[in-house]
Amino acid sequence: MAHTAAAAYDKLIFELSSPGRVAWSLADADVPEADARKLLPEKHLRKDAPALPEVSEFDVVRHYSRLSRMNYGVDTHFYPLGSCTMKYNPRINEDMARLPGFARLHPLAAETLAQGALELMHALAWDLAEIAGMDAVSLQPAAGAQGEFTGVLMIRAYHLSRGEKRTKVLIPDSAHGTNPASTAIAGYEVVEVKSLPNGEVDVNALARTLDTDVAAFMITVPNTLGMFEPRIVEITELCHAKGVQVYMDGANLNAILGITRPGDLGFDVCHFNLHKTFTTPHGGGGPGAGPVGVKAHLEPFLPVPVVTKDGDAYALDWKRPKSIGKLQAFWGNFGMLVRAYTYIRTMGPDGLRAVSDNAILNANYIMKRLEKDYDVAVPGPCMHECVVSARRQKKLGVTATDIAKRLLDLGFYAPSTYFPLIVEEALMIEPTETEAKETLDQFCDAMIQIARETEANAAVIHDAPLTTPVRRLDQTKAAREPDLRWSRRP
Ligand SMILES: *Cc1c(COP(=O)(O)O)cnc(C)c1O
């Protein structure tokens, strides 16, 4: 292949291999060398040498640096992926997570040798409980989805402890896919509750569905259209009157920090996505962290172990007969807990409140700037994200996917598309509080440019993206059978 910039990306690290080339240099052994065949049983000896690339350190560094530049992340670009809260991850969090006392602590170290780590977990759980108005928090779940699963298992254990065998969980049709999935895995029948056209819960429909078979109602606040549920207190009271537990999907907590609290709204359980609201790195398959908070009546059911404090000593409490059991390897994704704790402490209560104020301001700014060129899903004001619909553009042959692809050419990551499912051609835009007005303006300019191109020359948009390392992929196949080889691109 010619010497083009693209050619540099064309090789797998295996293809850079040159026999005998190495990336290490070791001093001569100062102990006698022995033949492995004399030391190890035959069955543990490999027959053939491993097919590893033989490359220099420089080859390795250049190869992976090149690949990293093909990546798209919040450190390089605006990332308005709605519902995901892709905010900046302050570097001080990384410094703290790398402190050797945390980073090099063995997960099975004796409690007496891990007091600092246990103290941090105890303090973080307390902070999250305070932020959400809950009485206790488990830090174990590794993602929001696992937090949901944990919460639903606790709700089940609670009902069973009262001799009630309820079989259904109600979930609005605007919900994120993990809600029905984690509920079904926990053994419940999922019953969908229709939303009103503006995305709010249809309280009358809900009231008709609530009966003694219903274990819980699971709802996202603000909802997935970026709207605060105006009748939420009425809803939680209605549920409680029928013995139904209320679960808040806390993925959108970025909108309400310091403004209101799930516990005060009447929720019994809620999860936190530390990788969304609390800045821990997000994406690439994790790790994430999805702590779950509960009111006092559910505390006995928390996963074991629970970090306890006695005087100045911290300990892991395993003797909890009503616990739903252990959920996650070791104590959860501890590095994420250090980052989130650092973030909460650096922000303080006023800082966290300012997060939500600014996130809401940014989303409303974008919504206002786009409302002439795109249909807004629900007339504003919105909370921390806004949902627009490309239904107007679709009449001219341009879909939400086309718009998302064109944005990549214009230097922006795409918003979430086709979610929530109840909005036709949805584009869900979440700017987060960490973006400046200049960036928001550039993004809005790009969106408006695409709307104009749709009217003038839709063909440009159908070909997009033109400037990315790969063009339009079969998205399902790309996710299921990733083929990272440039030269085989379609
Ligand atoms: C992200 C998200 C979830 C799931 O959280 P994960 O940490 O990705 O498992 C659930 N509900 C909503 C509304 C979300 O945005």
Side-chain angles (χ1 to χ4, degrees):
M1 190 189 249
H3 287 279
T4 60
Y9 291 110
D10 195 36
K11 292 206 160 60
L12 301 176
I13 191 148
F14 291 91
E15 293 166 331
L16 298 174
S17 186
S18 172
R21 193 169 283 169
V22 289
W24 45 265
S25 53
L26 295 178
D28 290 339
D30 57 1
V31 292
E33 289 187 27
D35 188 343
R37 277 168 298 192
K38 297 217 174 84
L39 297 174
L40 295 172
E42 172 74 21
K43 64 174 180 181
H44 292 317
L45 293 173
R46 64 184 319 145
K47 309 275 174 299
D48 306 303
L52 296 176
E54 297 181 70
V55 288
S56 70
E57 180 174 332
F58 204 15
D59 291 333
V60 174
V61 169
R62 282 199 173 154
H63 180 73
Y64 287 105
S65 299
R66 270 199 299 267
L67 290 182
S68 75
R69 289 206 212 161
M70 294 169 77
N71 208 352
Y72 204 107
V74 84
D75 285 350
T76 54
H77 295 84
F78 180 48
Y79 213 124
L81 196 66
S83 212
C84 290
T85 312
M86 305 294 292
K87 58 164 89 176
Y88 174 65
N89 170 222
R91 288 302 173 265
I92 187 165
N93 298 355
E94 298 303 310
D95 288 348
M96 295 304 116
R98 280 169 181 70
L99 287 175
F102 290 137
R104 307 192 67 176
L105 182 65
H106 194 282
L108 295 178
E111 286 168 22
T112 47
L113 302 176
Q115 286 293 300
L118 293 175
E119 179 177 357
L120 182 138
M121 288 164 66
H122 191 270
L124 174 62
W126 196 89
D127 284 351
L128 291 173
E130 173 69 18
I131 287 168
M134 291 288 164
D135 296 315
V137 167
S138 169
L139 303 172
Q140 268 185 49
Q146 202 184 20
E148 294 162 20
F149 180 65
T150 311
V152 174
L153 288 184
M154 286 191 276
I155 289 172
R156 191 176 69 180
Y158 167 76
H159 286 306
L160 288 176
S161 77
R162 294 158 49 95
E164 291 190 18
K165 197 170 180 324
R166 298 176 177 239
T167 56
K168 297 184 210 157
V169 171
L170 309 181
I171 301 179
D173 57 2
S174 58
H176 190 272
T178 53
N179 291 185
S182 50
T183 305
I185 289 177
Y188 280 106
E189 180 191 340
V190 176
V191 180
E192 188 177 274
V193 182
K194 287 257 169 290
S195 304
L196 296 170
N198 65 2
E200 283 172 25
V201 173
D202 183 338
V203 181
N204 296 330
L206 175 69
R208 281 195 300 274
T209 329
L210 288 171
D211 59 36
T212 49
D213 271 349
V214 177
F217 180 48
M218 181 184 275
I219 177 178
T220 310
V221 180
N223 67 26
T224 55
L225 278 92
M227 295 292 158
F228 192 81
E229 198 66 49
R231 297 172 72 182
I232 191 61
V233 174
E234 201 184 326
I235 290 170
T236 56
E237 284 171 357
L238 206 61
C239 290
H240 287 152
K242 298 276 175 154
V244 174
Q245 295 287 289
V246 211
Y247 183 108
M248 187 175 115
D249 176 335
N252 290 343
L253 206 65
N254 215 45
I256 57 172
L257 292 172
I259 300 174
T260 186
R261 309 191 303 169
D264 299 343
L265 299 173
F267 284 96
D268 303 289
V269 194
C270 78
H271 76 252
F272 309 80
N273 301 66
L274 299 189
H275 45 288
K276 295 180 181 173
T277 319
F278 299 101
T279 72
T280 75
H282 190 159
V292 58
V294 293
K295 288 276 180 65
H297 63 283
L298 292 170
E299 190 172 351
F301 307 101
L302 285 175
V304 281
V306 170
V307 182
T308 56
K309 183 179 186 194
D310 183 8
D312 283 337
Y314 296 88
L316 294 166
D317 179 10
W318 292 87
K319 290 201 202 70
R320 301 177 62 87
K322 292 189 174 169
S323 166
I324 59 164
K326 191 154 184 343
L327 246 260
Q328 186 61 31
F330 302 120
W331 328 117
N333 282 329
F334 180 71
M336 297 299 115
L337 308 182
V338 178
R339 290 172 174 88
Y341 181 72
T342 307
Y343 178 67
I344 290 171
R345 300 317 292 237
T346 44
M347 297 304 281
D350 295 341
L352 291 177
R353 164 80 199 225
V355 162
S356 291
D357 287 346
N358 286 316
I360 294 169
L361 182 63
N362 280 358
N364 279 283
Y365 182 75
I366 289 182
M367 186 166 92
K368 273 282 154 207
R369 277 214 56 198
L370 296 184
E371 70 185 4
K372 281 200 202 65
D373 294 275
Y374 293 88
D375 286 0
V376 171
V378 188
C382 61
M383 296 289 288
H384 66 309
E385 59 192 350
C386 66
V387 181
V388 302
S389 163
R391 61 171 91 85
R392 218 190 292 172
Q393 285 71 23
K394 195 175 178 195
K395 294 204 183 88
L396 301 170
V398 168
T399 63
T401 298
D402 293 327
I403 293 169
K405 299 296 181 195
R406 181 68 180 138
L407 271 171
L408 303 180
D409 272 341
L410 301 181
F412 295 96
Y413 197 82
S416 294
T417 51
Y418 301 98
F419 178 69
L421 303 175
I422 54 176
V423 175
E424 188 192 349
E425 296 298 318
L427 287 159
M428 179 191 240
I429 304 165
E430 179 177 8
T432 82
E433 73 285 358
T434 46
E435 297 297 340
K437 178 172 175 293
E438 290 81 353
T439 309
L440 304 184
D441 277 330
Q442 287 160 6
F443 172 75
C444 292
D445 291 345
M447 286 290 289
I448 293 167
Q449 176 184 327
I450 295 170
R452 303 277 150 80
E453 285 171 351
T454 300
E455 286 156 18
N457 181 13
V460 172
I461 301 176
H462 291 136
D463 286 343
L466 297 164
T467 57
T468 48
V470 286
R471 304 276 301 278
R472 287 213 190 189
L473 301 173
D474 174 335
Q475 302 194 52
T476 312
K477 197 163 153 47
R480 304 241 161 98
E481 300 166 39
D483 178 358
L484 303 177
R485 232 180 128 149
W486 169 277
S487 55
R488 288 201 221 117
R489 70 194 184 277

